[in-house]
Amino acid sequence: GTSSTQTTRSAVSVREGQGVVLLCGPPMHSGELTFAWIFNEYPYFVQQDSRRFISQETGSLYIAKVEPSDVGNYTCVVNNSITKGKVLSSPTPLVLRNDGAMGEYEPKIEVHFPDTVPAAKGSTVKLECFALGNPVPEISWRRTSGVPFPSKVKMKNSNAVLEIQNFQQEDTGTYECVAENSRGKNAARGRISFHAKPHWLQTMIDGALSIEENLFWECKANGKPKPSYSWLKNGDNLMAEGRRQIENGALSIAALNLSDTGMYQCVAENKHGIIYSSAELMVLASPPSFSKNPLKALLKARSGSDVALECKPQASPRAISLWKKGNEIVQRNERITLLPNGTLKIANVTRRDAGSYTCIAKNPFGTASTTGRLFITEPTRITQRPANMEIIVGESIVLPCQIASDPALDVSFSWAFNGQLIDFHGDADHFDRVGGSISGDLMIRNIQLNHGGKYVCVINTDVESLSASAHFANCLIESGPPGPPDTVAVEEITDSTAQLSWKPGRDNGSPITGYIIQARTPFTVGWQAVDTVPEEINGNTLTATVVGLNAWVEYEFRVVARNSVGMGEPSPASAKTRTEDAMPDTAPTDVGGGGGTKSELVITWEPVPEELQNGEGFGYIIAFRPLGAVTWTRVVISTPGVARYVFRNDTIPAFSPFDVKVGAYNNRGEGPFSSIATVFSAEEVPSEAPKRVWGRSVSAAQIEVIWEALPATPERVLGYEVVYWEDDTKPDTVGKVRISANYSAVNVTGLKANTQYYLALCTFNTAGTGPQSTPINATTKKPPPGQPPLNVEWTMIGSLLTLHWDPVTAMETEAEVIGYLVLLRRHRDNEVNSIMTNKTRLELTLSSNDNYLIQIKALSEGGEGVGSEPIHIHKLSMGAQGSGASRLSLLSPSHLSAVLVSALILLSSSW
């Protein structure tokens, strides 16, 4: 509700140029208050600027230098942001004294933040500073350490308020505000200290302990100020008494019994927060059981080795154990030891130690036993071992590894290279095992430099493991690229940045000189390098901030190390982390449109891809207005994938220009608009049919349609469309041909020969086609002759080529022959010359240093006929004759060599 008290406060009387403070005196309250001041009457609020400031700490109004326009009544408005209640103070009149203006004076700081300001991690801190003075002072801020302000620090209200968002440990320190005018300057300073809610460094884990055992649990938390600890059991406070000791975050219970079972919580608390860590305690009581850890039925041991027989029953409390060999109790001696955990150790075993062994276990709840037989074998010997050798790259070798062993043993061979087991399936190109059960020889094929190093043959039997090693001396590689970094973690993430940390991998013999960071999202193809701060990450740096990320996108990161040898393997990917949401910062592109049907404005755009939508609730704002108008019509579309909007209104004139722009929004707010595009409303289809249309047959497959261009029409004409069909009783359209409006003729091609066609013409624009002209008809010509020119003969004397062929006779259904077309293609520039003749012979002068291809076709009204077989004339053929392209006869013996070469080429290749 709103309440106010209307008794007027006593007037404040000041001289022009003087500074003044009007006190608000807010009422008793709980919760956050915000303050504003009314000047004379509602809703005229005092506007803050460099001269006037309203403190949100005290509520008071500060005027640095009074001007005559300030005279009037001032009322303080107090809003409670929790209850939404509003209270108005009594008005305070401000009047000017009449004893002249006040002279200039140096700044006097009236609003001053405290000497120490406590601030919580992640909170927003606001410091206020304002001074009275004449001229009006300017406020500036700095840190006394000289460290510049990061971009998250904002100045507001003409620098009277310094705001630090997302406060962190590094933002602590002393801040100074300086007020300065031409008369002097004054400064105020104070220290911001850091405090943090508790957070766990160490917590307990669930425990299952035997009755009579001791429990010790410890939890540790960090926070500022240091947190205090308390303990709960099953939700009730736990106090130290009797068997139970509590010391800060440590709980110990001696000699557990069944009543100690329950859910325990460690609580850490400071004045900024409280956190809980929970764990369950189970107290166990059970007789011994060997079901989980029985002795092996048969134990093999090498003669001369040491043997350990384990006695590990499950029992609560712990069982006491006793060993028997056969029916005899095993006694300690210089070779036999009984360990406190129940294990029986026999040193330097011989065949006499073979036999049946039983462990008997006992506790207050019962007894159990387990039995196994000990079998002694002869030692395995390596009879042939691999030797050191020098190898040339590309060779293949066999490294021998052969043994003599006890027949009762199972034997297996494996090989390690530089400490890593060789994968014979994965690297079958280079490594193979050869030899039988007593041989584990290793074959290495096509040896490469990276195969240099230490090879170890490992022989495993039931009772022992032996190894024999060899080096390739000359191929030893000193160093390689680094191994993959480890444990990539996203420490903090904003809408555009992510702070990463990682652990270094192995440097493989050459120090790590730097790192690069790569990222992957559901929208990228694979991993992409990203920008970081610092830009270059050196080898000693294990944290960096990735910048330039898109908001509200799920990212994975990985790190790649490099050294002087090269780039290493990438780290495993970090956990998937989503950036925070933000308002859209990308406008839709490619805004355009047009077309549609009558009374429509069609607007189109390129949708904003999902990775640039920056948050949930994404959609578009379409704004449009007639060209030259001032106010925009706005439409909101809440579907992110839509790329088109149609506005329908009967009042829209046809083909009328509009300003159009498209913006984006999401749950965080509105983003930018695209640049303004001009889009035309739908036009009307043309209303007039073309006049004076006629057609003529050009060939067996083409009809030319000719018309008279239309004079200016009320509708726009983009072009002309010819529609044609065969049977006038069934005008099913055979086809359409379109051409732009600046033409008045078009060729309709691909038609059937000797066929009558009907053709009609209309105009079109984006709205569709107009009315058709009266149809005309035209008949295509008969087809050209199907027979090629035959018996083509040629003679070459010097550079003069003479061609001769038989005439082509057209059939009844074919068009008459009216001449011949000789096509001459030069090999050098692939240029084709066409020569027309009405005779059946032709003389041509050819260049002597080029090759030619010649073809002859009959010509008719229906077009060109079928071509003759191509004739190849080679530059070495000068002085030859032939028919077709395959037979040559000699003119004189002097041309023999040239003609033979030509014949060989002509017979072997057709280029």
Side-chain angles (χ1 to χ4, degrees):
T2 303
S3 64
S4 67
T5 47
Q6 274 309 318
T7 54
T8 305
R9 298 184 180 183
S10 51
V12 177
S13 168
V14 289
R15 291 163 66 187
E16 184 183 340
Q18 193 177 349
V20 71
V21 180
L22 300 180
L23 303 180
C24 180
M28 292 292 290
H29 67 279
S30 67
E32 289 280 311
L33 298 187
T34 59
F35 300 94
W37 283 78
I38 294 171
F39 180 50
N40 286 332
E41 60 182 45
Y42 182 85
Y44 297 105
F45 284 93
V46 174
Q47 299 301 311
Q48 299 187 70
D49 52 25
S50 60
R51 195 172 66 82
R52 292 172 295 189
F53 175 64
I54 299 167
S55 167
Q56 296 304 317
E57 297 290 334
T58 65
S60 301
L61 168 63
Y62 300 81
I63 304 177
K65 173 191 165 193
V66 171
E67 294 176 354
S69 61
D70 295 328
V71 170
N73 287 326
Y74 289 85
T75 305
C76 177
V77 182
V78 185
N79 286 295
N80 186 318
S81 56
I82 306 293
T83 65
K84 303 286 186 256
K86 180 189 284 190
V87 181
L88 274 61
S89 72
S90 313
T92 303
L94 180 70
V95 296
L96 277 191
R97 280 163 46 177
N98 51 13
D99 51 357
M102 183 161 177
E104 295 187 349
Y105 65 98
E106 69 173 32
K108 174 171 182 286
I109 294 179
E110 278 290 342
V111 181
H112 178 355
F113 53 98
D115 291 344
T116 57
V117 179
K121 178 177 180 175
S123 66
T124 297
V125 179
K126 292 181 182 175
L127 305 182
E128 293 188 340
C129 180
F130 192 75
L132 312 184
N134 184 0
V136 175
E138 281 192 8
I139 309 283
S140 60
W141 294 84
R142 69 183 198 95
R143 289 178 74 163
T144 55
S145 62
V147 174
F149 292 132
S151 61
K152 68 176 181 177
V153 174
K154 307 276 190 282
M155 311 288 173
K156 298 191 171 173
N157 295 36
S158 305
N159 287 12
V161 178
L162 175 90
E163 183 177 291
I164 308 167
Q165 294 176 341
N166 189 20
F167 191 83
Q168 299 296 325
Q169 180 85 49
E170 63 264 22
D171 298 320
T172 57
T174 301
Y175 286 71
E176 181 178 78
C177 129
V178 179
E180 185 171 6
N181 67 10
S182 55
R183 285 286 165 180
K185 65 176 173 182
N186 271 305
R189 55 174 60 174
R191 178 169 174 75
I192 309 183
S193 62
F194 181 74
H195 67 69
K197 295 176 184 172
H199 64 271
W200 289 120
L201 301 174
Q202 178 185 329
T203 55
M204 337 87 82
I205 56 167
D206 294 342
L209 297 177
S210 290
I211 198 163
E212 295 300 319
E213 280 192 295
N214 297 332
L215 167 77
F216 180 77
W217 265 337
E218 186 171 26
C219 59
K220 290 181 184 168
N222 222 342
K224 206 151 181 192
K226 219 178 174 60
S228 61
Y229 300 92
S230 58
W231 287 83
L232 306 174
K233 178 188 174 189
N234 296 336
D236 298 326
N237 270 323
L238 203 60
M239 297 299 171
E241 56 178 324
R243 295 177 296 115
R244 195 163 55 229
Q245 296 289 310
I246 293 177
E247 201 170 311
N248 276 336
L251 167 70
S252 54
I253 305 176
L256 289 169
N257 64 40
L258 292 174
S259 69
D260 294 318
T261 297
M263 180 61 76
Y264 289 76
Q265 284 176 300
C266 174
V267 186
E269 183 174 9
N270 69 11
K271 63 184 178 188
H272 306 298
I274 182 165
I275 52 174
Y276 297 84
S277 166
S278 307
E280 188 175 6
L281 173 64
M282 288 173 66
V283 180
L284 309 173
S286 64
S289 163
F290 284 101
S291 61
K292 289 268 176 70
N293 296 306
L295 267 178
K296 276 176 75 176
L298 179 63
L299 294 144
K300 295 180 188 175
R302 176 176 58 82
S303 171
S305 66
D306 295 350
V307 172
L309 301 178
E310 288 186 333
C311 182
K312 282 190 171 173
Q314 285 176 298
S316 299
R318 264 182 55 191
I320 302 163
S321 56
L322 163 81
W323 281 94
K324 285 185 172 181
K325 180 184 178 193
N327 293 319
E328 308 268 317
I329 291 175
V330 176
Q331 304 292 342
R332 286 187 179 82
N333 61 31
E334 70 279 354
R335 285 194 310 113
I336 296 176
T337 319
L338 284 161
L339 299 182
N341 66 0
T343 299
L344 170 66
K345 283 191 107 171
I346 310 172
N348 194 10
V349 293
T350 66
R351 287 196 176 261
R352 286 202 308 281
D353 294 313
S356 178
Y357 287 81
T358 302
C359 174
I360 302 160
K362 186 176 183 185
N363 80 356
F365 299 106
T367 306
S369 67
T370 180
T371 302
R373 197 161 69 82
L374 181 63
F375 181 82
I376 309 300
T377 64
E378 288 308 310
T380 302
R381 286 180 300 108
I382 296 174
T383 56
Q384 193 177 0
R385 62 179 60 240
N388 292 353
M389 54 182 78
E390 294 203 1
I391 301 297
I392 296 164
V393 168
E395 283 191 350
S396 299
I397 56 150
V398 173
L399 296 180
C401 181
Q402 302 193 3
I403 58 163
S405 67
D406 190 307
L409 292 177
D410 292 328
V411 181
S412 68
F413 296 88
S414 54
W415 284 85
F417 169 50
N418 288 344
Q420 294 282 319
L421 274 179
I422 291 174
D423 174 7
F424 286 98
H425 290 298
D427 210 347
D429 291 350
H430 293 289
F431 296 111
D432 203 1
R433 259 189 284 238
V434 290
S437 59
I438 54 140
S439 160
D441 298 355
L442 171 70
M443 172 175 268
I444 312 174
R445 295 190 196 85
N446 186 16
I447 287 173
Q448 300 302 304
L449 264 179
N450 63 347
H451 291 135
K454 182 178 186 179
Y455 287 81
V456 178
C457 170
V458 182
I459 301 109
N460 280 302
T461 72
D462 311 35
V463 298
E464 63 194 318
S465 177
L466 303 92
S467 64
S469 66
H471 282 86
F472 283 8
N474 77 320
C475 292
L476 210 61
I477 305 247
E478 289 300 325
S479 59
D486 195 18
T487 323
V488 179
V490 181
E491 304 288 349
E492 205 170 305
I493 196 150
T494 70
D495 59 2
S496 63
T497 68
Q499 197 176 336
L500 305 185
S501 67
W502 60 89
K503 292 186 179 150
R506 295 200 310 274
D507 67 7
N508 288 342
S510 171
I512 294 172
T513 55
Y515 294 95
I516 64 162
I517 295 176
Q518 298 171 335
R520 177 171 71 180
T521 76
F523 310 108
T524 57
V525 179
W527 292 90
Q528 314 276 342
V530 286
D531 294 335
T532 58
V533 174
E535 206 171 324
E536 297 286 334
I537 306 169
N538 68 38
N540 302 321
T541 303
L542 298 175
T543 62
T545 300
V546 181
V547 296
L549 302 178
N550 291 332
W552 200 245
V553 170
E554 203 168 56
Y555 280 90
E556 294 173 277
F557 300 97
R558 69 181 189 184
V559 181
V560 184
R562 66 167 173 268
N563 62 12
S564 58
V565 182
M567 299 295 286
E569 289 285 304
S571 69
S574 69
K576 288 181 179 173
T577 313
R578 190 183 279 283
T579 45
E580 292 179 344
D581 59 349
M583 289 189 303
D585 51 13
T586 304
T589 54
D590 216 5
V591 174
T597 57
K598 191 172 181 322
S599 304
E600 286 184 348
L601 174 65
V602 178
I603 299 166
T604 60
W605 61 91
E606 184 66 38
V608 175
E610 193 181 335
E611 66 268 30
L612 300 178
Q613 291 175 4
N614 288 9
E616 292 191 316
F618 183 86
Y620 299 101
I621 300 160
I622 291 94
F624 54 91
R625 64 185 179 193
L627 199 65
V630 178
T631 54
W632 294 90
T633 302
R634 281 167 57 109
V635 177
V636 174
I637 292 183
S638 58
T639 318
V642 164
R644 186 170 184 272
Y645 170 71
V646 179
F647 174 67
R648 288 184 187 82
N649 191 319
D650 291 344
T651 63
I652 298 179
F655 206 60
S656 165
F658 281 77
D659 283 338
V660 171
K661 60 183 182 176
V662 182
Y665 73 92
N666 62 20
N667 290 347
R668 290 299 294 269
E670 281 189 28
F673 272 93
S674 66
S675 50
I676 295 174
T678 302
V679 175
F680 284 82
S681 60
E683 55 190 341
E684 296 194 10
V685 293
S687 57
E688 292 187 29
K691 310 277 191 303
R692 296 243 183 129
V693 181
W694 69 96
R696 68 183 187 90
S697 171
V698 180
S699 71
Q702 286 187 28
I703 294 173
E704 184 181 31
V705 180
I706 304 149
W707 60 89
E708 200 173 82
L710 272 176
T713 58
E715 302 82 21
R716 193 168 64 131
V717 171
L718 283 181
Y720 294 89
E721 179 178 276
V722 176
V723 180
Y724 55 93
W725 63 96
E726 268 183 62
D727 184 347
D728 203 19
T729 61
K730 296 198 294 272
D732 296 336
T733 304
V734 172
K736 295 179 183 177
V737 179
R738 279 191 165 188
I739 196 159
S740 65
N742 49 357
Y743 286 88
S744 59
V746 67
N747 264 351
V748 181
T749 59
L751 303 176
K752 288 195 268 187
N754 200 19
T755 303
Q756 185 179 43
Y757 283 91
Y758 295 86
L759 306 102
L761 185 70
C762 61
T763 55
F764 69 86
N765 60 21
T766 60
T769 53
Q772 288 185 353
S773 67
T774 312
I776 56 163
N777 62 43
T779 303
T780 49
K781 309 267 191 216
K782 288 181 180 178
Q787 182 196 334
L790 298 174
N791 295 330
V792 181
E793 292 180 355
W794 59 271
T795 313
M796 187 97 190
I797 299 172
S799 58
L800 184 69
L801 172 73
T802 306
L803 289 162
H804 186 276
W805 60 92
D806 288 353
V808 174
T809 309
M811 293 169 68
E812 190 71 36
T813 56
E814 294 175 339
E816 286 298 318
V817 176
I818 54 172
Y820 297 91
L821 189 67
V822 179
L823 299 169
L824 182 72
R825 184 194 295 257
R826 286 187 72 154
H827 183 243
R828 176 165 300 149
D829 50 16
N830 226 3
E831 185 185 304
V832 179
N833 286 333
S834 313
I835 300 136
M836 287 173 69
T837 176
N838 51 11
K839 299 190 172 64
T840 57
R841 61 178 283 124
L842 187 67
E843 289 189 347
L844 295 168
T845 305
L846 304 185
S847 164
S848 61
N849 60 355
D850 205 350
N851 304 328
Y852 291 87
L853 185 141
I854 295 172
Q855 195 176 28
I856 304 163
K857 296 178 175 180
L859 278 176
S860 74
E861 280 195 333
E864 296 174 11
V866 181
S868 65
E869 283 286 312
I871 299 166
H872 298 271
I873 299 201
H874 199 271
K875 62 186 171 195
L876 297 175
S877 309
M878 302 308 165
Q881 66 184 34
S883 60
S886 55
R887 292 201 308 283
L888 290 172
S889 57
L890 305 184
L891 292 185
S892 68
S894 62
H895 294 303
L896 179 62
S897 60
V899 172
L900 281 175
V901 173
S902 173
L904 288 171
I905 291 169
L906 291 167
L907 289 168
S908 64
S909 72
S910 147
W911 44 265

